Amino acid sequence: MKDTKRRFELLSFYNHTGIERHFEKMAREGWMIERLSNLGWTYRRMEPADLKFTVTYYPKASEFDPNPSEGQMTFHEFCEHTGWQLACTWFQMQVFYNENPDPIPIETEPAMEVDNIHKACKANYLRSYWILLVISAVMGGLFLVSLFKTREVLPDSLLEDPNMMVTGIIWTILALYCGVELFTYYRWHSRAEKAAEQDIFLETPNTVGFQKSMMVLVTILAVYWLASFLFSETPEMLPIGIAVLVSIFGAQLLGERLKRWMRKKGVPTGLNRFITLLTVFLTVFLATGVIVAVGVILEQLK
Amino acid sequence: MPREKFRTLTEQMFYVLLCLKEECCGMDILDRVPEMTAGRVTVGSGTLYNLLEQFLEMDMIEETKVEGRKRSYLLTQKGQEMLDREYERILAQAEDYRRTFERGM
């Protein structure tokens, strides 16, 4: 029996209510969260236990910090003083658990909690989604405009070029996904601020259902895209297509490993961030370029 | 409309400042507040950490001692004035309550 397992969880970064409930459920089933990353959440086997989890946020933390800052360690010690053990951290997110069934909560002032979450989200989550929304809205918009211009639901040109169709639809889906995430966050934030004025904690919303449906749609499109190569005049391009996807995933994995290695070596935050992002960008750029060049050469040799 | 920061103090803010009438470190405040209030008021560890940061920023408290990561704080004149103001507000509320219910006697 394996002692660890990795899962991809569709829980938004700020959805602390959903994340806490999920970790408590996993603990009852005998799994303790060990590490959070963009490539999945890793759980470690343990004796099933009824633990209380709290997900809180330390806005000044960074995923590229070589060590927790003095302030962050003081924060952890304060939490430990009331029985909260640190399970793991991820960007500004700090995950604690407590064996006491009725512990003093880490956050006891709603206004302060909402403010903290917003500061943490502004540091990373919101910025990333806004950038992605702008890029995908432009790309998706161009695709929809080109559809509109032909006045056909599925123009022949798109049917002949599944690449263009699938890419266009995926950009549109990505824009929709980012838009829904941002809208849901800002709506919760506005309501949570009002509730905090009445000293009420407002639970964070769940978009798991919406995210799952987007994942299913993207998976269907990816399968269609790959299958289209088999029935095209150039089936030998299928390995090229797969290689592009693998290289994108590989770049993410390389970036994650490199970031963790630099953290262990004590590389300063700014330098770690710069090298990691540059490495990921260059890897994707070069790998895609090489793969496409190989594809073109193979095509010409035919 | 959001409450102006520290225009009125919540119970937790009030008792944290009260603890700092004498020099005290953060973790001791976590124990003293429930002691002072017979368990009626508790301050979350995360909330206390953020309150201390904000009180420092607003010059309501000052750092008096640093021993490794253990930091001690003390109420400043400004912090004392805010506590006094809150105390007067609570007294005025209690007086309004007393007058309202004694009128019926």
Side-chain angles (χ1 to χ4, degrees), chain A:
Chain A
M1 216 187 309
K2 282 174 79 176
D3 287 334
T4 61
K5 69 175 173 184
R6 190 188 293 209
R7 287 168 46 137
F8 285 94
E9 311 290 6
L10 299 173
L11 292 157
S12 304
F13 179 76
Y14 69 96
N15 181 12
H16 69 92
T17 315
I19 297 171
E20 286 157 7
R21 285 189 186 140
H22 173 69
F23 288 157
E24 285 165 4
K25 178 172 170 282
M26 295 297 284
R28 284 194 296 272
E29 292 171 6
W31 295 98
M32 167 60 84
I33 184 67
E34 190 171 65
R35 186 167 61 229
L36 303 164
S37 80
N38 289 329
L39 299 171
W41 295 6
T42 305
Y43 301 83
R44 181 185 80 244
R45 191 178 288 282
M46 65 171 203
E47 276 300 307
D50 223 334
L51 300 174
K52 197 94 181 75
F53 275 84
T54 288
V55 171
T56 185
Y57 301 85
Y58 190 82
K60 293 177 193 166
S62 166
E63 190 66 354
F64 301 96
D65 288 337
N67 297 301
S69 63
E70 286 291 308
Q72 200 174 348
M73 285 167 73
T74 303
F75 176 75
H76 293 167
E77 282 168 6
F78 275 23
C79 294
E80 214 177 279
H81 189 76
T82 48
W84 291 97
Q85 303 297 318
L86 181 71
C88 59
T89 65
W90 187 42
F91 292 95
Q92 294 76 27
M93 189 191 288
Q94 319 283 304
V95 181
F96 292 91
Y97 67 93
N98 201 314
E99 290 171 0
N100 185 340
D102 189 22
I104 298 168
I106 291 178
E107 302 287 351
T108 46
E109 284 246 359
M112 204 146 270
E113 183 189 63
V114 174
D115 188 49
N116 238 13
I117 291 174
H118 192 55
K119 281 181 181 149
C121 286
K122 279 200 299 189
N124 182 52
Y125 170 80
L126 291 175
R127 189 171 45 206
S128 306
Y129 269 83
W130 274 114
I131 291 171
L132 215 47
L133 175 65
V134 167
I135 294 171
S136 57
V138 166
M139 301 300 285
L142 288 172
F143 168 73
L144 292 172
V145 161
S146 69
L147 273 187
F148 178 73
K149 275 186 177 160
T150 62
R151 302 261 195 274
E152 289 175 33
V153 175
L154 276 177
D156 290 340
S157 57
L158 280 186
L159 287 171
E160 284 159 18
D161 187 357
N163 267 330
M164 205 161 82
M165 183 167 79
V166 167
T167 311
I169 295 174
I170 285 181
W171 279 122
T172 310
I173 288 171
L174 192 57
L176 177 65
Y177 172 78
C178 292
V180 168
E181 278 291 295
L182 286 169
F183 173 78
T184 310
Y185 170 78
Y186 284 111
R187 187 179 59 172
W188 167 81
H189 180 251
S190 169
R191 289 176 178 177
E193 277 190 321
K194 288 195 176 78
E197 284 172 25
Q198 312 299 323
D199 214 30
I200 296 169
F201 285 97
L202 190 69
E203 289 190 356
T204 45
N206 218 332
T207 55
V208 171
F210 169 74
Q211 291 193 48
K212 268 188 186 153
S213 53
M214 292 295 107
M215 292 295 298
V216 166
L217 213 52
V218 167
T219 306
I220 291 170
L221 283 168
V223 168
Y224 168 75
W225 179 67
L226 291 170
S228 68
F229 280 110
L230 291 173
F231 297 103
S232 72
E233 288 169 3
T234 53
E236 65 276 6
M237 295 304 279
L238 175 60
I240 304 292
I242 293 173
V244 168
L245 287 177
V246 167
S247 71
I248 292 170
F249 179 75
Q252 282 264 334
L253 187 63
L254 174 66
E256 190 64 31
R257 291 276 156 91
L258 182 63
K259 176 183 69 183
R260 259 190 254 151
W261 180 81
M262 283 195 281
R263 275 170 64 172
K264 259 193 207 147
K265 295 296 176 191
V267 172
T269 305
L271 189 58
N272 186 337
R273 184 188 289 119
F274 175 73
I275 293 173
T276 301
L277 293 177
L278 184 66
T279 303
V280 170
F281 173 75
L282 285 177
T283 306
V284 171
F285 185 73
L286 290 171
T288 310
V290 164
I291 291 164
V292 168
V294 165
V296 167
I297 291 167
L298 285 176
E299 182 68 23
Q300 285 174 346
L301 287 175
K302 252 177 49 178

Side-chain angles (χ1 to χ4, degrees), chain B residues 36-81:
Chain B
M36 262 176 151
T37 60
R40 188 176 58 80
V41 179
T42 51
V43 184
S45 40
T47 298
L48 176 66
Y49 179 88
N50 288 310
L51 278 177
L52 290 173
E53 291 240 301
Q54 289 185 19
F55 288 158
L56 270 174
E57 239 174 84
M58 302 279 293
D59 294 323
M60 290 162 68
I61 63 175
E62 60 185 358
E63 210 170 72
T64 52
K65 207 163 45 184
V66 179
E67 291 165 314
R69 264 197 303 279
K70 186 176 163 182
R71 288 163 192 268
S72 300
Y73 307 92
L74 189 65
L75 203 60
T76 60
Q77 181 61 34
K78 184 178 179 184
Q80 179 72 60
E81 284 164 12

